[in-house]
Amino acid sequence: MLNDVITGLIAELLGGLAVVVAVGLDARARRRRGARRGTASGGNGAETRPARTYTLIGTRAPDGHAVQIASSRPAGTVINRQEPAGERRRFELTDAVLSDGTYAAEPLDWYR
């Protein structure tokens, strides 16, 4: 009689332990998948990045506010922007964080 109780108890304990291990492995896999999602490779091998908001230094909108753009390109990328007057200006995206929490995009024509 006692032998049957102990055998049943061990079976229940091992079953519960298997469930705990399975849940732990599943949680670990989900965490790793979520952490990898921000740097997952695209079709051409490029990393996917979250979009950053950049303030174009020295550029104003018609209402007088600073011009801001969103881009997921890495720092060091040069972008072109068509001004309302028709001229094109080039900006380099940087890792410099401004006081409003946006990143700086420096005009390249200032350095000619």
Side-chain angles (χ1 to χ4, degrees):
M1 174 87 176
L2 184 60
N3 196 14
D4 292 338
V5 171
I6 292 175
T7 303
L9 181 65
I10 290 174
E12 291 286 332
L13 182 65
L14 290 177
L17 185 61
V19 168
V20 168
V21 168
V23 168
L25 289 175
D26 182 55
R28 180 177 178 213
R30 287 177 189 256
R31 270 194 313 270
R32 292 183 74 196
R33 194 176 331 130
R36 231 181 305 148
R37 189 168 302 203
T39 58
S41 294
N44 60 0
E47 292 182 354
T48 57
R49 293 176 178 82
R52 289 180 170 181
T53 302
Y54 291 93
T55 298
L56 304 179
I57 304 294
T59 304
R60 296 284 177 192
D63 62 358
H65 290 85
V67 175
Q68 295 181 343
I69 60 167
S71 178
S72 60
R73 295 180 180 162
T77 301
V78 176
I79 60 169
N80 292 312
R81 181 175 186 275
Q82 185 77 28
E83 293 290 324
E87 68 181 49
R88 296 180 69 98
R89 292 186 64 190
R90 294 175 36 186
F91 293 88
E92 181 179 359
L93 305 180
T94 67
D95 280 331
V97 180
L98 301 175
S99 62
D100 62 354
T102 62
Y103 292 85
E106 295 186 24
L108 292 178
D109 58 352
W110 283 4
Y111 303 111
R112 284 189 206 171

